[in-house]
Amino acid sequence: MGDISRRHFVKSAGVAGVALWLGLTAKGAAGKRSTLAAAKNFTPFILIESNGQITLYNIKPEMGQGTYQSIPALIAEEFEVSLDQVIIKNTGGEKEFGNGQRAGGSTSVRGSYNEMRKVGAAAKAVFITAASTKWQVAENTCYAEYGKVIHRPTGKSAGYSELIEEASKIDLPKEPKLKDAKDFKIIGKQAHRPDIPIKTNGSAVFGIDVQLPDMVYASIERCPVIGGTLKSFEATEALKMPGVIKVDKVERIVGIYSFIGVAVIANSYWAATQARKKLKITWDTKGYETYNSADYDAYLWKHANEEGMVDKNIGSIDTVKTSPQNTIDADYETPVIAHHTLEPMVCVAKVTGDEVEIWSSNQVPNLITGAGDNDIPALTGFKPENVKYHNMFIGGGFGRRLYYDYIVEAVNVAKLIDRPVKTLWSREDTTKKGPWRMMTFSKMSGTLGDDGKLIAFRHKVIGPNFHESLFKTFDKTRLDPSMVEGIGTQDYQIPNLRTAYVKTDSHLPGAAFRSVVSSTICFPHESFVDEMAHKAGKDPMEFRLNMVAQTSDTWKLLQKLRELSNWDKPLAKNKGRGVAQWKFFGCQLGYVVEVAHDPVTGMIKIDKVTALIDLGVVVNPDNVKNQIEGAVIMSISAATKPGITFKNGVVEQSNFYDNPVPRINETPQIDVHILADGGRMKGVGEPGVPPFAPALANAIFAATGKRFRKMPFDLQVN
Amino acid sequence: MKTSIRFKTKFRTFMIIGIMSSVVATMAFTLNKESEEARVPPAPIVTKDSTASVKAFKQVYTVLMSARCMNCHPSGDIPLQGEDSHLHTMQPRRGVDGKGVYAMKCSNCHQPANTPGLHTPPGNPNWHLPPADMKMVFQGRTPRQLAKQLVDPNQNGHKDMKKLIEHADDGLVKAGWNPGEGRKMPPMSHAAFKKAWITWLTTGAYAPAK
Amino acid sequence: MISLNVNQKNYRVDADPNMPLLWVIRDIIGLTGTKYGCGVAQCGACTVHLNDEAVRSCVTKVSRAEGQKIVTIEGLSKENDHPAQIAWNEENVPQCGYCHSGQIMSAAVLLRENPNPTDEDIDAAMAGNICRCGTYLRIRKAIHLAAELQRKGSASK
């Protein structure tokens, strides 16, 4: 573990004396083991050691979404321990922790909610039985609290660690009794995240912070033209630079693409970057150097009239009578964007013979050590059992770190040298080399009936499919439901609805971005509903409510949002409110955005954002609020800041000076409200993104009469 | 005593920043049809020539209004950036002394010398804006307004002609001609600028009609 | 060899005088709380105190810091108890946490120079520090709280 073991981050530390692991068997039943070595098909989540130490394993990578608290909290709640008295360890793709070691799709907490509580409850039951057996008292006279079993009549108590011996002999209950929500001490309560203290004094170890004895550094020059490949390189000058150890070509695999770059390995990162500038490289860019964003946009619109692959086709939309008086057709555009995680891509790797040890920050540790064709072992030529991974705190994920192209590349760098090597991307590398969130364009058409209700609605999505760039097995002949996520499944009751997708070809490596395709297609959808409301002369909130059943989630959400946002209270001149909601991934959130327009300067200012997220059950309410506040800022970024564009095959942007993200002075008032009425549990991380842009666009329209159909919005409206 | 200390401080501050300024404390103006004439003190020698003076100032003006000079002489309290003179990205403030505020002091990013590379902060040991009490705004000024401002003793840091002439060789003024990688130079060489500057001053510091 | 004083400790480092202070602090001295985010003084993740000012160490050559007083996030307080650190914890500010070393170092200068900052003062001080997770609202709240803690602290002294 070298000198990083001082931080609590990974498992496999030495165990103190007798120990007991409790967790789940492959069949999902609670189980326990006295030694982990004997464990087959068993996932440990709790480790009790005889020295009193209790460890909870968090299998959901921590990237800022709060799993370092929320996942252990589920175990701790039922196990009756406080998070202050345990050690939390993030897992790193170890086989025993299974395929659940990934964070994406806003599934971490809701996907773990029952299982983790069950583990905690079963473990608690075992220790209560152990204590009552030891004390020879009735089980129902004992209870657990703060890591101890207590005999109620006498007040006698024993810590879990004192009961290991007895506990190891007792069978776990198959269906342990879970607590009533009213008895929760942690879940649903205001809580401090245990990773915050170490994130305020510099001691949290992110991927970039891993330091190993004898470690060297690499910086990689990659082809400026996306798709181009290496012809030859000349490193004489680079090798003369102080500190340079080695220069060689390396392969990076991102999805279906293989890119060859030239790595400079040096005794400091600085030396590597300086020598990198001295490389003389000839690239073969043939066929790729003519790629321009404007041309590609034109190509998308050229294909927009194709029927595409139809998803929903409700009613008989082709026979609906239309006239200019009752119909709107509109074209919407969104750009390619970079995730801009503040921690750039980084990975430390050490190859020893046929084994590799890897330290990085990534959302899918299960694939770093997995046995699949697209997993790191297969991509780098190691046997899965010979890949050891440590997942560190992640300096921002947002979907970018669902991919491990940078880990493949870093492992390939490590093959060049018999020392641990840290391969670090510069900000420019992360901006210019992707993978990026791809654009979608949308062709919208809507028709109103005589009663002013929406009777026909078409939404056709046009754009490249990021899944096609990721998987060789991608089937072009079938509709990828991701590309129409949400547009056919809102609660709106529209008698004639058609949604479709026209797939276009692209050579760019595409990526999921927080909320995936909803991050682009909710904007046209919910903006266009607004357009239709105005066409009908109706209040946009009222118009939506009239389209949904009173028993629907959306009715409930919008009614509450209407009240929370003071929707019906008139605003001053030059101010406007906009509403939008989105139901997708089994999540739902609605926004009301208030803007003010300065008629002199033309500037639009976002005054206030009211968010309402429907969660059913909430684990850490303050963290949910933090997530949504952040999603608003990220959405202001996506909606109003310039995207990534290409000229002659090269990304035109480099760094925050020409690809800016919002700063503190652009932060509006944000009021986040949570609907937690005990209904179905829903996710948190992503639903804050999709409906923000349309709510903002709708608010700007209300304030100024200017309708934005293309991102980024220019907030100077004259 | 108090006043003189304040004056001194102010004076020094202006010396380090200011890209330009003009004529003498006792100066006054008389209007004529095309231009304004400055009454300049006996030395250095002034040969009044309104045509030559206005012509020279027009050259001076192109330099002062170039991004290299104007970006640190904004109309507001936030400097400008780039060839298009947009508001400085992270909106640093002038501050009382022109050196920024709190965690956003100029020298936190602007080093004693240019930082290598494109889009990195250009540097100078005395990098700053004009101070709050002597803003010496260039942005938005017409040639006439700027010329008048440069020769207004209450706006130019109380420089006499000698000091003004010397100011052409101020370190931060000259930094305009060492703008860092990728940045455009002012529209003429420093030598040509200095010549125009001195010509303008020594021919009467006339202000253009508009 | 270059002599540096970091967090009240003297170091002699063998580094190119042109090497940015950031990489000396992280890769040579081994204090990794100070982060790399952009390399061009755009994001503030690398903010350290050089003679008490919040300099961006990614563009500061180590030669500028020679013999000067450098404080990094690790040295801001002994017990994670600078008013800003206490407030950051109280308000649960960080998400991923990557930017917050820099945020706190910037906030510390603001709090020193302005014991009662307004939202506008906070924006003026903090707009050089990017938080991609978007925790700005909480940064504002935490700075107000830190100012309050600081006032109370100095009142009780």
Side-chain angles (χ1 to χ4, degrees), chain A residues 18 59 70 84 111 233 244 272 277 309 349 378 401 455 611 630 686:
Chain A
V18 196
I59 63 167
S70 54
D84 299 334
F233 69 94
V244 175
K277 293 178 192 162
M309 283 178 273
R401 285 185 163 97
I455 54 165
E686 292 163 288

Side-chain angles (χ1 to χ4, degrees), chain A residues 34-289:
Chain A
S34 296
T35 59
L36 200 53
K40 257 190 184 171
N41 298 321
F42 171 73
T43 304
F45 289 103
I46 304 171
L47 167 63
I48 317 277
E49 293 174 76
S50 56
N51 64 358
Q53 189 164 296
I54 299 171
T55 305
L56 304 183
Y57 293 98
N58 168 34
I59 63 167
K60 298 297 180 186
E62 172 61 65
M63 53 182 167
Q65 85 282 43
T67 49
Y68 193 70
Q69 187 268 343
S70 54
I71 300 296
L74 302 177
I75 305 173
E77 178 68 66
E78 296 288 347
F79 192 37
E80 295 296 348
V81 293
S82 158
L83 288 183
D84 299 334
Q85 65 179 143
V86 302
I87 290 179
I88 299 162
K89 287 182 177 172
N90 290 328
T91 69
E94 298 85 349
K95 210 174 170 190
E96 65 265 28
F97 291 107
N99 212 30
Q101 299 176 84
R102 58 185 302 279
S106 302
T107 56
S108 289
V109 172
R110 56 181 161 147
S112 311
Y113 190 64
N114 289 327
E115 283 198 338
M116 291 299 126
R117 285 189 304 144
K118 198 167 138 186
V119 168
K124 176 181 69 183
V126 162
F127 283 100
I128 288 179
T129 307
S132 64
T133 309
K134 188 177 178 180
W135 298 331
Q136 304 214 322
V137 297
E139 248 186 73
N140 62 10
T141 60
C142 299
Y143 68 100
E145 195 177 73
Y146 201 66
K148 283 185 297 206
V149 181
I150 299 157
H151 182 230
R152 199 184 309 272
T154 60
K156 186 154 108 175
S157 72
Y160 290 159
S161 60
E162 300 167 57
L163 297 164
I164 292 177
E165 197 86 33
E166 290 78 7
S168 66
K169 295 171 197 153
I170 294 160
D171 283 340
L172 281 118
K174 282 204 174 61
E175 287 304 326
K177 191 177 177 298
L178 298 177
K179 283 162 88 168
D180 263 1
K182 66 174 170 45
D183 298 325
F184 284 162
K185 295 172 184 161
I186 306 172
I187 295 173
K189 305 286 189 278
Q190 167 80 22
H192 290 291
R193 282 166 38 211
D195 51 329
I196 289 185
I198 55 173
K199 288 174 174 176
T200 59
N201 67 3
S203 67
V205 181
F206 294 84
I208 198 174
D209 300 329
V210 172
Q211 289 175 301
L212 299 173
D214 204 32
M215 188 173 78
V216 292
Y217 300 81
S219 179
I220 299 174
E221 184 69 19
R222 304 170 187 86
C223 185
V225 174
I226 302 303
T229 195
L230 180 72
K231 251 187 185 168
S232 65
F233 69 94
E234 213 272 284
T236 316
E237 292 302 310
L239 285 164
K240 280 183 198 161
M241 296 286 284
V244 175
I245 297 163
K246 193 164 188 175
V247 176
D248 209 341
K249 61 180 182 183
V250 286
E251 183 187 29
R252 163 181 169 233
I253 297 169
V254 46
I256 62 170
Y257 301 110
S258 161
F259 298 128
I260 308 294
V262 180
V264 178
I265 303 174
N267 63 6
S268 76
Y269 176 68
W270 171 249
T273 59
Q274 298 309 104
R276 181 177 154 190
K277 293 178 192 162
K278 305 280 181 186
L279 291 170
K280 291 186 181 67
I281 305 178
T282 313
W283 303 104
D284 179 3
T285 60
K286 201 164 182 294
Y288 298 105
E289 76 283 23

Side-chain angles (χ1 to χ4, degrees), chain B residues 81 89-93 101-105 107-116 118-121, chain C residues 40-42 53-56 59-61 64 106 109-110 112-114 120-121 123-128:
Chain B
Q81 240 181 352
T89 303
M90 58 292 288
Q91 308 204 349
R93 308 300 156 113
V101 297
Y102 312 131
M104 297 283 278
K105 308 216 170 70
S107 61
N108 288 354
C109 301
H110 296 276
Q111 304 293 319
N114 291 334
T115 298
L118 292 169
H119 302 282
T120 56
Chain C
V40 291
Q42 285 278 328
E53 296 295 352
V55 305
R56 288 3 186 208
V59 291
T60 303
K61 291 177 181 178
R64 177 181 167 192
S106 285
V109 173
L110 167 65
R112 185 188 70 219
E113 296 187 358
N114 185 341
E120 206 185 16
D121 295 329
D123 286 0
M126 303 301 293

Side-chain angles (χ1 to χ4, degrees), chain A residues 515-695:
Chain A
S515 79
V516 198
V517 183
S518 283
S519 77
T520 57
I521 60 179
C522 171
F523 157 57
H525 205 85
E526 279 289 282
S527 295
F528 196 67
V529 168
D530 209 72
E531 291 199 45
M532 295 309 297
H534 286 287
K535 179 88 176 171
K538 298 269 177 63
D539 171 83
M541 182 72 86
E542 201 66 47
F543 187 74
R544 283 176 172 81
L545 283 164
N546 279 334
M547 282 201 291
V548 299
Q550 298 198 2
T551 51
S552 67
D553 294 341
T554 304
W555 171 272
K556 187 173 69 177
L557 185 91
L558 290 179
Q559 282 291 4
K560 186 86 183 148
L561 187 58
R562 178 182 202 157
E563 176 197 322
L564 291 166
S565 66
N566 292 317
W567 177 267
D568 296 304
K569 196 179 157 194
L571 285 170
K573 207 177 162 227
N574 297 319
K575 290 187 180 236
R577 276 192 199 99
V579 59
Q581 63 77 34
W582 202 239
K583 191 176 186 180
F584 76 115
F585 283 7
C587 305
Q588 192 168 18
L589 184 144
Y591 281 119
V592 168
V593 173
E594 271 180 42
V595 301
H597 180 234
D598 181 336
V600 178
T601 63
M603 288 312 294
I604 297 284
K605 185 174 166 286
I606 303 171
D607 277 343
K608 186 179 162 191
V609 178
T610 307
L612 178 61
I613 182 168
D614 182 359
L615 288 177
V617 176
V618 60
V619 173
N620 184 341
D622 186 62
N623 189 52
V624 170
K625 289 182 180 177
N626 201 349
Q627 284 296 302
I628 305 310
E629 290 158 11
V632 166
I633 302 299
M634 186 159 278
S635 305
I636 291 174
S637 185
T640 70
K641 304 290 180 184
I644 295 289
T645 54
F646 292 81
K647 193 178 177 189
N648 301 328
V650 179
V651 170
E652 294 185 277
Q653 294 74 25
S654 296
N655 202 319
F656 294 122
Y657 49 76
D658 57 6
N659 200 224
V661 297
R663 294 171 182 275
I664 196 169
N665 53 314
E666 298 167 72
T667 306
Q669 180 189 339
I670 306 168
D671 297 337
V672 181
H673 303 273
I674 299 168
L675 204 54
D677 56 6
R680 185 176 52 82
M681 197 170 186
K682 304 171 194 77
V684 176
E686 292 163 288
V689 173
F692 184 82

Side-chain angles (χ1 to χ4, degrees), chain C residues 3 9 12 14 16 19 22 31 33-34 37 40 58 60 101 104 108 110 136 147:
Chain C
S3 298
K9 209 174 148 187
R12 285 181 64 75
D14 182 13
D16 176 347
M19 189 189 282
L22 169 67
L31 295 169
T34 307
V40 291
C58 71
T60 303
S101 299
I104 290 168
L110 167 65
Y136 297 131

Side-chain angles (χ1 to χ4, degrees), chain A residues 350-389:
Chain A
K350 166 86 174 84
V351 171
T352 313
D354 60 356
E355 296 180 354
V356 63
E357 190 166 1
I358 304 167
W359 295 257
S360 188
S361 32
N362 187 272
Q363 292 175 237
V364 288
N366 61 322
L367 305 182
I368 310 298
T369 55
D373 290 347
N374 286 318
D375 298 349
I376 288 276
L379 296 178
T380 55
F382 291 90
K383 289 181 185 163
E385 59 270 29
N386 287 351
V387 177
K388 191 172 178 189
Y389 181 56

